[in-house]
Amino acid sequence: QSMLTQPPSASGTPGQRVTISCSGRYSNIGSNSAYWYQQLPGTAPKLLIHSTNERPSGVPDRFSGSKSGTSASLAISGLRSEDEADYYCAAWDDSLSGPVFGGGTKVTVL
Amino acid sequence: QVQLQESGPGLVKPSETLSLTCTVSGDSIDSGGYFWTWIRQYPGKGLEWIGNIYYTGTTYYNTSLKSRISISVDMSKNQFSLRLTSVTAADTAVYYCARGGVVTTSLKFGPWGQGTLVTVSS
């Protein structure tokens, strides 16, 4: 059972905006930055968002992150076929003294 | 370009010890500045942080695994390693090594190795 809760799936048509939620607790998202990873089929996860809303170099600005209270969100605007992947949220947990991950959300482009 | 590569047995018997090594190229572990991390992904796709190590040998472990894991570094080979004892079928997963952040609380993991599937079965 994951410490962070994500919907198992999300979908949209090309060009649409899709939002993925990540629900946690005060000890993780409520107190620390949220991170997002994208995992394309058959590959290792790749950092998409760090420090809640910062994009590493090379990540398109179609991807954005936000946080409110104990929940974080990842938004994908202008959805493209290559965005079909699993997306995971993560945060440091002060109670566990370690990172926790969400269970992942599979995004399908219809 | 920094690259990481996991190596080790793909099949381990129950109650035995899982041993994996991560070879780093394009960066020196002893240059400091980063934690070096092990993460696993279960067949059902959930991710779990195992632990990390700094070049000084300082380690941080997942508390749920702490009694069974050991992470070490060999700077002469630019490698770091994972040992997980008393494995069960629940330890079956794809094991990834990754470069971590500059502090242990940073979850800026990357780059990652390609991952290696370890199956625990007799």
Side-chain angles (χ1 to χ4, degrees):
Chain A
Q1 185 174 359
S2 301
M3 291 291 294
L4 303 179
T5 302
Q6 299 179 235
S9 63
S11 62
T13 57
Q16 274 191 328
R17 175 184 171 93
V18 169
T19 301
I20 302 169
S21 62
C22 175
S23 177
R25 301 179 177 181
Y26 180 76
S27 60
N28 42 63
I29 293 178
S31 301
N32 299 291
S33 293
Y35 296 74
W36 291 90
Y37 287 84
Q38 178 193 57
Q39 186 173 32
L40 297 170
T43 69
K46 168 194 160 187
L47 181 65
L48 202 61
I49 297 287
H50 67 88
S51 307
T52 301
N53 55 16
E54 300 289 329
R55 288 184 308 277
S57 173
V59 173
D61 60 5
R62 302 185 295 104
F63 295 92
S64 62
S66 63
K67 186 177 84 166
S68 178
T70 58
S71 291
S73 295
L74 172 71
I76 310 173
S77 59
L79 193 64
R80 303 176 68 162
S81 59
E82 57 260 41
D83 298 333
E84 245 187 30
D86 291 322
Y87 293 84
Y88 295 88
C89 60
W92 180 267
D93 191 287
D94 292 333
S95 297
L96 297 175
S97 294
V100 290
F101 288 91
T105 298
K106 182 175 181 58
V107 169
T108 301
V109 182
L110 302 170
Chain B
Q1 182 183 357
V2 181
Q3 293 184 311
L4 292 84
Q5 177 70 58
E6 305 89 351
S7 58
L11 181 64
V12 181
K13 290 182 168 55
S15 79
E16 295 192 343
T17 296
L18 178 161
S19 294
L20 296 174
T21 295
C22 181
T23 301
V24 180
S25 59
D27 192 6
S28 294
I29 292 176
D30 63 3
S31 65
Y34 297 102
F35 281 83
W36 301 90
T37 302
W38 287 100
I39 293 169
R40 65 183 179 181
Q41 185 167 32
Y42 297 108
K45 83 179 184 181
L47 291 165
E48 181 178 48
W49 174 78
I50 298 172
N52 59 26
I53 190 166
Y54 197 57
Y55 79 103
T56 57
T58 299
T59 53
Y60 295 90
Y61 297 147
N62 185 319
T63 53
S64 69
L65 299 170
K66 195 169 187 176
S67 64
R68 297 197 292 133
I69 62 173
S70 173
I71 298 176
S72 60
V73 64
D74 184 340
M75 287 184 283
S76 67
K77 296 181 180 178
N78 214 33
Q79 296 174 334
F80 62 106
S81 299
L82 169 70
R83 291 183 77 249
L84 178 65
T85 63
S86 305
V87 297
T88 69
D91 294 309
T92 293
V94 174
Y95 286 74
Y96 292 101
C97 59
R99 190 174 70 177
V102 297
V103 294
T104 190
T105 54
S106 169
L107 307 191
K108 291 178 69 175
F109 302 127
W112 297 55
Q114 66 185 25
T116 186
L117 174 63
V118 178
T119 301
V120 178
S121 175
S122 55

